[in-house]
Amino acid sequence: MTATIISGKQVSEEIRSSIAGEVKDLAANGVVPGLAVVLVGEDPASQVYVRNKEKACHDLGYYSEVHRLPAETSQEDLLALVDKLNHQDSIDGILVQLPLPVHIDEKAVINAIAVGKDVDGFHPVNVGNLVIGDDSLLPCTPAGVIELIKRAGISLSGKHAVVIGRSNIVGKPVSLLLQRENATVTMCHSRTKNMAEIARQADVLVVAIGRANYIDASYVKPGAVVIDVGMNRLENGKLAGDVDFESVKEVSGPITPVPGGVGPMTITMLMQNTLIAAKRHHGLA
């Protein structure tokens, strides 16, 4: 039996349609959400991401600035740009594309972004508010994962969720958001023993480890929801997730594909965060 596909592309389009309606309402009040993206260096993947963010802003009617800086840009100059954007009234959200060149301290740059403009949700204050359950701008990919699950009509309350991967960008925050939805959460990582045995107990399995096709059907309880956050480029140029989709779909319940699953949600949730930040900035939320 082949599993139901959770289409991130479809859900993303639904959310963007809702955002577009809100942007029109804001425009009637003279407010245009503004996003500034800063790219340092020539990382090919980062350039693709930045172009996609720029296009999303254009499609939704946002004001957009993209600052492309050479790889040798000093940390001092980058921090000066962030400070300028912090005080720029037309900018509601600031995103500094990671990774940064090795001579720049990522933590220092993230900490320098104004909390209210931190649309990546990486500032320690936003992370702290996420941990204690207070209102905050949420990290985009984890927020997209929860949105996909909920919009697929799946209740998380009382379910056992297993998260494989403990990164600050996905694993840790998604585990907190799952708990916020009243799931019972188990975290697995590279040092976990009997990982397959633990994973097979999951009603909802979220995988974010950065290893192509690593999780096969032996890790999955029949009928379990499987969310694949992985995005890996194979030698043949094709994209693959962390889940062996062909194997797992034969035993799982609803499952996200790669591409077309979690991927489209990340930029959409960034647009959502920018909209929220704009409304707060202008006293409309």
Side-chain angles (χ1 to χ4, degrees), residues 27-68:
N29 292 308
V31 174
V32 178
L35 175 65
V37 177
V38 181
L39 174 62
V40 185
E42 303 290 329
D43 181 78
S46 292
Q47 290 189 56
V48 172
Y49 293 145
V50 167
R51 278 199 302 272
N52 289 341
K53 287 162 186 170
E54 195 174 13
K55 182 179 185 303
C57 283
H58 179 265
D59 291 347
L60 290 168
Y62 286 22
Y63 171 68
S64 169
E65 287 187 6
V66 177
H67 298 265
R68 292 180 170 86

